[in-house]
């Protein structure tokens, strides 16, 4: 049947049965060529492969279009050209297809001739068929018989001798190998064979094939050739007439299924190096065509004897031709797809070191020089090696020349041999060892030779590389060693890990070498298409476009071909898609855009993301006129081509995650753009021409280095959304005033002053995580107030106050976030925000809320946790819509009574008696808050028993948190009205009992936390709360008989329990009581009638249990037949029964299931066995996730991955420790890193084995039991974070991946041992980009996972790998504890705050500290799986610190002002008396800083907080403050020294406002060694000791000191900033106790050891100054300066004249900013004269111009006459000279001059534009005199004028 549009004819016929094997595979024996009378070469056209098949909609790809039919495609009658035959077979079909392509048809187009199944010649008429029929007589002697059908077991095997009957001219040549160096041995054992050649000194011999001389038939004349084939013979199985035309493999081998579900056929049909022209012989080619190969035929391998010299054009390795090494032009080598073309010279040097894509090694490179010798050792499951010749090795540190090693000679040069595992498509694998310079071509040749011997099947096999599921054929010149090395490095291995041997491990998620056939594979299976409008073929491993799509190309509207890296898109197919609108080609490993794409002229949307495209110059996408959406993100683009300006229809462009260092100028010409994304590049500034994008609506600039928005950005009049997060932007004024801007996201920038000059439509503004110290409101461009602003986020800034006028103007606000600032108060104008719904002001210094908050009738959420609130405003009762209140971590002592209480009259209070409360339903006039409030958080406050009564009327409460207050007993009817309560938190109080009467009424109660109290028993009424799911009663004093169920609680009555924690109850015993006989069961209730006493002591009946905590709980038995039934631990259940001490270290664990109530994270505590004298070792670790993974099937456990890591970590770690090579410098850090990586590999194999087992079970049985675990493939896409802390005596190693961290507390200061692997981190971003990944706008890697390191996530390896961050920490006596936690803690509580919270509780019990951190995290917003471990490092130190307090704890209100965090530290000491030390402090140049620096208010609060914090840590007493000066006292001198040194160190590391750091007084300075010696505020200190006069102050009631000793101490504090001046008595104590160079004084014994250790840890240097006369004292005093060790350079720092004035305190002027102001002045002056000022352009021109350059760019003609209305000049000539050397005084004079000029220019503009002023009286008189207006009109005009 003739095919439309093709010059070919299909003829089908059926094969006979004997030609078909039992598997449906055709058996074709090789054709033997008989001797001919001529010695000429048979195939003179060997250099030119046949023309590829046409790619048309009806194309069959050389396969039969119908099943069970054999087609023979022949040349049309009368046509001339080449005749070639292809044979393809499918295992499922009993036919063979022979095709003869049309030689006159180009493959696709003239420029794409290499894209067919086989490379075609550049000349289309090189070969022509002879027309004479007499040439058939030449074929009569070529007939032979098909060999007998082989047996089924040998169907795919080759015996290695089947080529004996083959003509010698068709055999592969035998190379001349040195006889003494070659030997051969064979092992004939069953199912195994081994062949060896010389390797490392061994000698082998090469096989030689039999030589037979045959004559070649003469070539026919041109007019004598006519093709006639007897089809009857072919149909009967006689292929004798095809002799010399096709060559058949011996053994009947056709094809085999490919591995991994990928077809062998057409794996780049156009790239088949093993299909040389020898396989397709054309004896009828014209003689003229052979002229081109005369030189080649002179050295034809068919005519070479074994002793002949082989020319360089031919390479033979072990008797086989190395196709990959052949250099003749006609060899059918694999040609990379056109889209893979790239030049290696332009590769980024940085990425070359870190990133590697193996496909880049083979991009049509020249073949390498032939190796002169190679050695191989090979066998199934054994090693074989390939050693190249010295010429092949080339330069390089690894590939150095090396001679083969023999027994007589040893090579002096060392070579690294890489070992890899190579898989076979039919199963099994082999191990290969090769030098770093060995190529894929060498491996292909050796594998073919050694696996198939002389069988021709080896010619059709080659190496493929599977990189995480993406399979592609390897190019002949690619180097496997480079692939292995770089993939391993990306996965986290280091060079010292032995990269040369790691390749033999099974790591298919990283790389996998497969040796399989590339010919005659099965056809692509037909894809089921219901319709052809929207086609999605993503990730189908396609090689070719399915035939059905060719036939229905005109119906395709959307075509998604992503993740098919071996797919080539034919031009004819694209041209046939006449209605195609969308084409997606992401993740295709393309280096170039396919040329066929430009011909899809109907496209509207094109996706080329996630490829390796380096430029778009040759893409010519401007040929697609209607292209509207283009995505080229995550490529390697550095510039955009000039023709992008022609994309007039393009409205959306995404170029994010590329390598742009500057904003592409061509984009400014694309005025049709509406969406533009340039995120995650390295752009530092926006061009001035960006204002041309007048239609731009959405702009993304995330993750660049942009510093400012130019004034031209004001021309973006259509911009609605701007996302400029994570840049270096300092000013938003320009974009805030855009007329249509609606959303601006600008967090994580460098904004220090925010001017709210807001456009009329701006609705959302996010400027969080900026160092904003000043907030002001500037009217908009038309004087409108910003009524449209609905959401304002000012969190994580450094604001200390809010402007009341500015706040009251934002009347449209719905959401206001002020978290993590330094606010003391919120203005009363807050009440003007009548539409406000959410107010978040957590982590500030608020001591009160405004009373106007009661006017916010739409307020729903109020979050003010972690402040210093002491009272709650009574007006809060009036908030009718308030649903959630969070006042956790404040100092609230009472909740106000509702206002309606005063209406009850005298003596009518609802709360006049403790424990007696009227029913809320009977109280008239309840305030609105009672009916709306559902969630109330009051944890960590000062509420006592008497102050909780007002809370009893909240009848709508669902959540109530009263944890960590001072409640000892709750009223009996406290829960009476709270019938809707679901979660009740009472942890950390002093409760001895709980209300029991109303417990059965709590039908909705699911969560109850009672941990950390003083409960001794639990009431049995608790068992009547049937819906209870979570119960934590840990760390109490429980001691009761759990079998006494009639009076006490037993857990078996709460069947729905999922979380039960009894840990920390060291007195609790769980034992099975068998003393009572079974006859006593009649006294039990109906619920217990079926339960035995043994069941009461067990937990088996709690089938839903997920976490069971029994740490430190005693579990015993009292009878021989009695026992406690503890459930087994599984991936769905965690059971803790260990003790709370490991190697003498106490620890505590606390966790929560979160809102999902699923187990997602596991803890690990392991103590290593050790003998006396050996180090004590222990592991504390956690593995898991914060939230369960998405996409899992319902029965799949989300904890499967975590459970495997938990169970296998110790074993893997011990293995890595055992193989450490300390001689090579390997340490424990290396073992930890390797453990993480190895464990990740084992996790992959575990999940894969589970998958294989599940498939096997499903095949064996169609049904599965209900309790069997069904494997979920989505598990391989999940992952887990981990943190491991390994102790070896006093050394600690911490390793982590993901967002789990370890933090150590040293003297109350937090030190991070881990690193959060955030994709936004610069280092992590570089790794992600180097590994081929990308970051989305939501901060996720490849839009899937929010961490860059993790276990699992095998679909993202190596972008997301398991290489941990490892740190080492030597434990000192100052170290207190270490906190190990997941993101459930760190995302909501800063590390320093977490240490502060845990510090006081850890002194009591680390279990309580862990529970306290968990409870606070939940109160702060953590709703996922949270786990916290606290491990004590020096328990005695904290206990001593809190135990040595001299007096009772003082209330917080004794300090002025109050601080929010002081309650978390040790209580303030009693005021010292007697001999003591006094310290006076003062801020250097504070007066000038207050006057001129806007950052001083925030800096002052930071300074005060820091000093007060260390007073609590070091044990000082705050006497008083005066301005910024502190006066403090200490019981001993060394405590004062310790405090001063600790404060000075902390001042260097404080996060000061940007204004402070930019001024001279606060700038950062370094010494000559590069050590930072100053930064931020400089505080001078003076210390003196003695006996002052002590007397309490009558007003403050605080101790005060008087006398000469106090005056002398104040005078000592007179040195320069940053210095600590001390007297001789202080130095004497330092020398005696710290340096131990002097004798002890009478006070030395009283110096605390803790202070001595603290000073030694920080380090101290003493520099004597000498005798100084103090002001007001007659006698001199010996003064010395002490410094932190390393900061001695401060001694040379002296006050300069500029520091004594206010000059150094203000923010320094900037010359560039002054020049910008000058340019503005020139523009205003020009406008006042009616002209426009423009700066004269550079003589080289710019992008904006009037003429087109040679590349289409626009250039400026500077000689062109400008209009008269334009004033063009150089601003440098019109402004005063300004250089970087100008002082602030000079710049101040320039600014003064410019301000006068600007004022004059504005006045002139006003006179030109504004109308003249008219006197109203004169105007009215003139109107009256006119007489034309009636009195009514005059009255109206008069009233209007009066309002003006």
């Amino acid at each position: 049947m003739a095919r439309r549009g093709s010059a070919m004819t299909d003829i089908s016929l059926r094969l006979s049965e004997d030609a078909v094997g039992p598997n449906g595979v055709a058996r074709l024996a090789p054709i033997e060529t008989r001797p001919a009378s001529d010695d000429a070469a048979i195939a003179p056209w060997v250099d030119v492969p046949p023309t590829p098949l046409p790619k048309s909609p009806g194309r069959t790809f050389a396969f039969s279009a119908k099943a069970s039919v054999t087609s023979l495609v022949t040349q049309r009658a009368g046509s001339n050209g080449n005749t070639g035959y292809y044979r393809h077979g499918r295992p499922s079909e009993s036919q063979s297809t022979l095709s003869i392509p049309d030689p006159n048809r180009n493959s696709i187009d003239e420029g794409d001739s290499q894209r067919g199944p086989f490379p075609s010649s550049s000349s289309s008429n090189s070969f022509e068929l002879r027309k004479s029929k007499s040439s058939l007589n030449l074929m009569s002697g070529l007939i032979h018989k098909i060999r007998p059908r082989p047996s089924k077991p040998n169907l795919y095997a080759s015996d290695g001798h089947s080529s004996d009957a083959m003509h010698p001219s068709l055999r592969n040549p035998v190379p001349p190998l040195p006889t003494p160096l070659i030997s051969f041995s064979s092992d004939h054992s069953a199912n195994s064979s081994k062949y060896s050649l010389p390797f490392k000194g061994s000698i082998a011999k090469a096989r030689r094939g039999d030589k037979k001389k045959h004559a070649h038939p003469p070539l026919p004349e041109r007019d004598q050739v006519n093709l006639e084939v007897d089809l009857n013979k072919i149909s009967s199985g006689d292929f004798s007439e095809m002799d010399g035309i096709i060559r058949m493999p011996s053994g009947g081998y056709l094809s085999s299924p490919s591995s991994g579900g990928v077809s062998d056929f057409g794996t780049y049909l156009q790239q088949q190096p093993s299909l040389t022209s020898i396989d397709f012989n054309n004896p009828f080619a014209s003689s003229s065509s052979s002229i081109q190969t005369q030189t080649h035929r002179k050295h034809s391998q068919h005519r070479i004897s074994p002793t002949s010299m082989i020319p360089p054009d031919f390479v033979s390795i072990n008797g086989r031709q190395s196709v990959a090494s052949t250099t003749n032009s006609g060899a059918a080598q694999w040609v990379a797809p056109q889209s893979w073309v790239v030049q290696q010279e332009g590769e980024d040097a940085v990425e070359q070191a870190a990133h590697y894509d193996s496909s880049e090694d083979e991009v049509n490179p020249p073949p390498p020089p032939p190796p002169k010798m190679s050695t191989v050792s090979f066998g199934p499951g054994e090693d074989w090696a390939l050693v190249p010749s010295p010429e092949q090795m080339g330069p390089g540190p690894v590939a150095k020349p090396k001679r083969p090693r023999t027994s007589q000679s040893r090579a002096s040069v060392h070579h690294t041999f890489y070992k890899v595992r190579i898989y076979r498509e039919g199963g099994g694998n082999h191990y290969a060892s090769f030098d770093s310079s060995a190529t894929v071509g060498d491996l292909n040749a050796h594998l073919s030779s050694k696996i198939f011997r002389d069988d021709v099947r080896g010619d059709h096999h080659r190496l493929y590389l599977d990189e995480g599921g993406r399979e592609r054929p390897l190019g002949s010149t690619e180097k496997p060693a480079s692939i292995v090395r770089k993939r391993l490095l990306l996965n986290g291995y280091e060079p010292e890990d032995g990269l040369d041997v790691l390749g033999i491990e099974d790591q298919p998620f990283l790389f996998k070498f497969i040796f399989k056939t590339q010919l005659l594979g099965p056809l692509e299976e037909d894809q089921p298409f219901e319709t052809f409008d929207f086609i999605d073929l993503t990730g189908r491993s396609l090689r070719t476009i399915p035939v059905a799509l060719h036939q229905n190309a005109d119906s395709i509207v959307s075509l998604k071909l992503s993740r098919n890296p071996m797919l080539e898109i034919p031009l004819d197919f694209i041209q046939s898609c006449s209605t195609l609108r969308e084409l997606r080609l992401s993740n295709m490993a393309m280096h170039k855009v396919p040329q066929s794409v430009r011909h899809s002229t109907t496209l509207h949307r094109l996706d080329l993301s996630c490829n390796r495209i380096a430029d778009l110059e040759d893409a010519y996408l401007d040929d697609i006129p209607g292209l509207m959406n283009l995505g080229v993100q995550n490529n390697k683009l550095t510039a955009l081509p000039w023709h992008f300006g022609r994309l007039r229809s393009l409205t959306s462009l995404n170029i994010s995650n590329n390598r742009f260092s500057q904003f592409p100028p061509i984009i400014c010409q694309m005025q049709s753009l509406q969406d533009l994304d340039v995120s995650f590049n390295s752009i530092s500034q926006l061009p001035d021409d960006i204002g041309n994008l007048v239609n731009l609506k959405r702009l993304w600039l995330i993750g660049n280095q942009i510093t400012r928005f130019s004034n031209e950005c004001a021309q973006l009049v259509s911009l609605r959304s701007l996302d400029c997060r994570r840049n270096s932007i300092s000013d938003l004024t320009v974009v805030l005033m855009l007329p249509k801007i609606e959303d601006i996201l600008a967090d994580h920038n460098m904004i220090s002053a925010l001017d709210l000059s807001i456009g009329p439509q701006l609705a959302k503004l996010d400027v969080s995580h900026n160092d904003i110290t000043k907030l002001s409101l500037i009217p908009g461009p038309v004087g409108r107030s910003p009524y449209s602003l609905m959401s304002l986020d000012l969190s994580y800034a450094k604001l200390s106050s809010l402007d009341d006028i500015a706040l009251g103007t934002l009347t449209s606000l719905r959401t206001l976030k002020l978290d993590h600032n330094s606010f003391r108060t919120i203005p009363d104008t807050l009440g003007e925000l009548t539409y406000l719904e959410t107010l978040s002001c957590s982590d500030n210094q608020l001591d009160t809320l405004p009373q106007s908050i009661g006017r916010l009738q739409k307020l729903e959420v109020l979050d003010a946790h972690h402040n210093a609130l002491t009272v709650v405003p009574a007006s809060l009762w009036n908030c009718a819509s308030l649903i959630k209140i969070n006042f956790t971590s404040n100092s609230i002592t009472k909740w106000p009574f509702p206002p309606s209480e005063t209406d009850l009259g005298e003596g009518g209070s609802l709360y006049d008696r403790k424990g007696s409360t009227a029913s809320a339903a009977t109280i008239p006039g309840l305030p609105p808050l009672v009916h709306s409030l559902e969630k109330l958080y009051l944890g960590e406050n000062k509420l006592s028993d008497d102050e909780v009564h007002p809370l009893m009327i909240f009848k709508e409460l669902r959540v109530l948190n009263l944890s960590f207050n001072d409640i000892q007993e709750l009223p009996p009817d406290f829960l009476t009205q709270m019938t809707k309560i679901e979660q009740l938190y009472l942890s950390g109080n002093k409760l001895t009992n709980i209300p029991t009467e109303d417990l059965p009424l709590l039908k909705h109660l699911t969560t109850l936390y009672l941990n950390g109290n003083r409960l001794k028993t639990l009431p049995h009424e608790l068992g009547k709360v049937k819906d209870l799911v979570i119960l934590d009663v840990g760390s109490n004093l429980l001691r009761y008989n759990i079998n006494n169920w009639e009076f006490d609680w037993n857990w078996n009555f709460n069947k729905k329990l999922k979380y039960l924690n009894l840990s920390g109850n060291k007195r609790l015993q769980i034992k099975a009581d068998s003393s009572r006989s079974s006859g006593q069961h009649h006294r039990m209730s109906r619920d217990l009638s079926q339960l035995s006493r043994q069941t009461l002591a067990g937990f088996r009946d709690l089938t839903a249990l997920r976490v069971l905590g029994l740490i430190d709980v005693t579990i015993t038995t009292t009878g021989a037949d009695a026992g406690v039934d503890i459930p087994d631990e599984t991936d769905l259940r965690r059971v803790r029964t260990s003790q709370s001490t490991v190697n003498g270290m106490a620890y505590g664990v606390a966790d929560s299931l979160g809102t999902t109530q699923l187990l997602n994270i596991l803890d690990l505590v392991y103590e290593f066995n050790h003998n006396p004298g050996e180090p004590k070792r222990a592991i504390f670790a956690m593995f898991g996730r914060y939230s369960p993974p998405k996409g899992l099937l319902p029965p799949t456990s989300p904890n499967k991955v975590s459970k495997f890591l938990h169970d296998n970590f110790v074993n893997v770690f011990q293995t890595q420790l055992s193989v450490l090579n300390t001689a090579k410098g390997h340490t424990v850090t290396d073992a930890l890193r390797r453990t993480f990586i190895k464990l990740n590999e084992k996790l992959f194999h575990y999940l894969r084995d589970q998958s294989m087992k599940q498939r096997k079970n499903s095949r064996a049985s169609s049904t599965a039991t209900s309790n069997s675990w069904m494997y979920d493939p989505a598990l391989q896409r999940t992952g887990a974070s981990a943190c491991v802390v390994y102790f070896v005596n006093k050394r600690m190693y911490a390793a982590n991946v993901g967002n789990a961290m370890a933090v150590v507390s040293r003297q109350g200061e937090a030190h991070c041992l881990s690193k959060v692997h955030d994709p936004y981190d610069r280092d992590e971003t570089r790794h992600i980009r180097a590994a081929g990944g990308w970051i989305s706008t939501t901060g996720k890697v490849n839009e899937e996972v929010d961490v860059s390191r993790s276990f699992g996530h095998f679909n993202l390896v190596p972008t997301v790998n398991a290489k941990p961050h490892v740190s080492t920490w030597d434990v000192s006596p100052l170290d207190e504890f270490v906190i190990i936690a997941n993101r459930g803690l760190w995302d909501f509580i800063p590390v320093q705050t977490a240490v502060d919270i845990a510090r006081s509780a850890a002194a009591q019990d680390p279990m309580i500290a862990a529970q306290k951190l968990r409870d606070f995290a939940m109160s702060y917003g953590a709703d996922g799986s949270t786990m916290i471990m606290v491990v004590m490092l020096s328990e005695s130190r904290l206990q001593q610190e809190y135990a040595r307090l001299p007096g009772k704890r003082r209330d917080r209100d004794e300090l002025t002002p109050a601080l929010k965090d002081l309650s978390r530290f040790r209580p303030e000491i009693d005021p010292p008396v007697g001999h003591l030390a006094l310290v006076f402090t003062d801020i250097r140049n504070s007066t000038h800083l207050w006057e001129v620096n806007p950052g001083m208010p925030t800096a002052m609060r930071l300074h005060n907080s820091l000093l007060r914090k260390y007073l609590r840590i070091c044990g000082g007493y705050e006497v008083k403050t005066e301005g910024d000066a502190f006066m403090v006292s200490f019981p001993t001198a060394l405590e004062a020294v310790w405090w001063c040194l600790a404060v000075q160190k902390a001042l260097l590391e404080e996060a000061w406002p940007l204004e402070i750091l930019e001024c001279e007084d606060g700038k950062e300075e370094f010494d000559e060694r590069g050590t930072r010696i100053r930064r931020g505020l400089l505080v001078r200190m003076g210390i003196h000791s003695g006996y002052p006069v002590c007397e309490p102050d009558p007003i403050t009631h605080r101790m005060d000191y008087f006398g000469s000793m106090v005056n002398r101490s104040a005078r000592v504090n007179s040195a320069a900033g940053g210095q600590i001046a001390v007297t001789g008595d202080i130095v004497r104590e330092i020398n005696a106790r710290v340096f131990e160079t002097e004798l002890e004084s009478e006070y030395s014994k009283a110096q605390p050891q803790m202070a001595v250790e603290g000073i030694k840890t920080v380090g101290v240097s003493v520099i004597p100054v000498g005798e100084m006369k103090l002001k007001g004292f007659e006698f001199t005093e010996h003064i010395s300066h002490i410094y932190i060790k390393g900061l001695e350079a401060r001694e040379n720092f002296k006050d300069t004249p500029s520091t004594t004035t206010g000059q150094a305190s203000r923010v320094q002027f900037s010359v560039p900013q002054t020049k910008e102001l000058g340019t503005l002045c020139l523009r205003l002056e020009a406008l006042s004269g009616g002209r426009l000022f423009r700066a004269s352009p550079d003589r080289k021109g710019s992008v904006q111009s009037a003429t087109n350059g040679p590349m289409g760019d626009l250039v400026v003609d500077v000689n062109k006459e400008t209009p008269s209305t334009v004033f063009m000049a150089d601003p440098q000539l019109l402004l005063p000279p300004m250089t970087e050397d100008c002082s602030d005084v000079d710049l101040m004079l320039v600014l003064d001059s410019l301000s006068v000029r600007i004022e004059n220019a504005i006045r002139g503009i006003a006179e030109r534009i504004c109308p003249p002023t008219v006197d109203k009286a004169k105007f009215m008189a003139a109107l009256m005199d006119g007489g034309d207006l009636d009195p009514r009109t005059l009255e109206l005009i008069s009233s209007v004028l009066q309002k003006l």
Side-chain angles (χ1 to χ4, degrees), residues 1385-1518:
L1385 176 68
W1386 307 124
D1387 283 3
F1388 301 93
I1389 300 180
V1391 292
Q1392 184 60 55
T1393 304
V1395 168
D1396 296 343
I1397 293 173
R1399 199 165 185 267
S1400 58
Q1404 179 182 358
D1405 188 350
M1407 186 72 71
I1408 297 178
Q1411 294 170 358
K1412 188 174 183 179
L1413 286 171
R1414 177 205 57 189
D1415 294 344
F1416 278 23
M1418 292 189 296
S1419 299
Y1420 289 5
D1423 58 357
S1425 296
T1426 302
M1427 176 170 287
I1428 301 164
M1429 304 175 68
V1430 177
V1431 183
M1432 298 302 299
L1433 304 178
S1434 179
E1435 185 177 1
S1436 59
R1437 183 185 182 280
L1438 274 179
Q1439 292 175 349
Q1440 292 174 3
E1441 178 179 336
Y1442 282 83
R1444 72 182 186 90
L1445 297 175
K1448 66 178 182 178
R1449 175 172 178 165
R1450 297 183 173 269
D1451 293 334
R1452 186 182 297 186
D1453 56 6
E1454 293 186 16
L1455 285 178
T1456 304
L1459 286 181
K1460 61 181 181 182
D1461 292 330
L1462 289 184
S1463 62
R1464 294 172 180 165
F1465 297 97
R1466 54 184 283 191
E1468 187 183 35
I1469 65 173
D1470 286 338
V1473 293
H1475 187 275
L1476 52 86
L1478 287 179
V1479 180
F1480 284 85
T1481 72
D1482 187 23
I1483 298 177
R1484 175 177 168 270
N1485 282 351
S1486 60
T1487 303
H1488 299 306
L1489 287 169
W1490 276 109
E1491 291 178 354
V1492 299
N1493 197 299
M1496 191 58 185
T1498 300
M1500 188 63 187
R1501 298 187 186 280
L1502 296 174
H1503 163 268
N1504 293 349
S1505 299
L1506 190 147
L1507 265 62
R1508 290 191 172 107
K1509 170 186 173 181
Y1510 280 95
L1511 275 178
R1512 293 296 182 90
I1513 293 176
C1514 300
Y1517 179 80
E1518 181 180 347

Side-chain angles (χ1 to χ4, degrees), residues 908-920:
S909 175
L910 296 174
Y911 317 100
D912 53 349
R913 296 191 313 272
K914 180 178 180 181
S916 176
T917 305
S919 174

Side-chain angles (χ1 to χ4, degrees), residues 271-394:
Q271 305 157 1
Q272 302 180 7
S274 62
L275 284 179
T276 62
S277 54
I278 303 173
D279 299 301
F280 299 92
N281 301 316
N282 187 352
F284 309 111
S286 60
S287 58
S288 61
S289 64
S290 63
I291 298 176
Q292 302 175 4
T293 58
Q294 288 292 337
T295 305
H296 172 67
R297 289 203 308 269
K298 291 179 181 180
H299 305 288
S300 175
Q301 58 179 336
H302 299 296
R303 303 174 59 183
I304 296 176
S305 68
T307 58
S308 302
M309 295 296 296
I310 301 180
D313 289 345
F314 300 94
V315 177
S316 298
I317 300 179
N318 300 330
R320 306 273 309 171
Q321 180 186 5
S322 179
V323 180
S325 302
T326 307
T327 58
N328 63 55
S329 60
Q333 296 190 15
W334 173 70
V335 180
Q338 188 181 25
S339 59
W340 285 24
V341 177
V342 70
Q343 292 183 356
Q344 290 291 313
E345 289 76 6
E347 197 69 31
D348 190 349
V350 177
E351 183 170 340
Q352 285 278 8
H355 169 52
Y356 174 71
D357 179 5
S358 56
S359 64
E360 296 181 2
D361 287 345
E362 169 66 13
V363 188
N364 294 339
K372 292 185 178 180
M373 190 191 75
S374 61
T375 60
V376 177
S377 177
F378 167 75
E382 301 180 14
D383 294 343
W384 64 272
L386 168 63
V387 186
S389 65
E391 292 82 4
Q392 188 186 8
M393 292 178 183

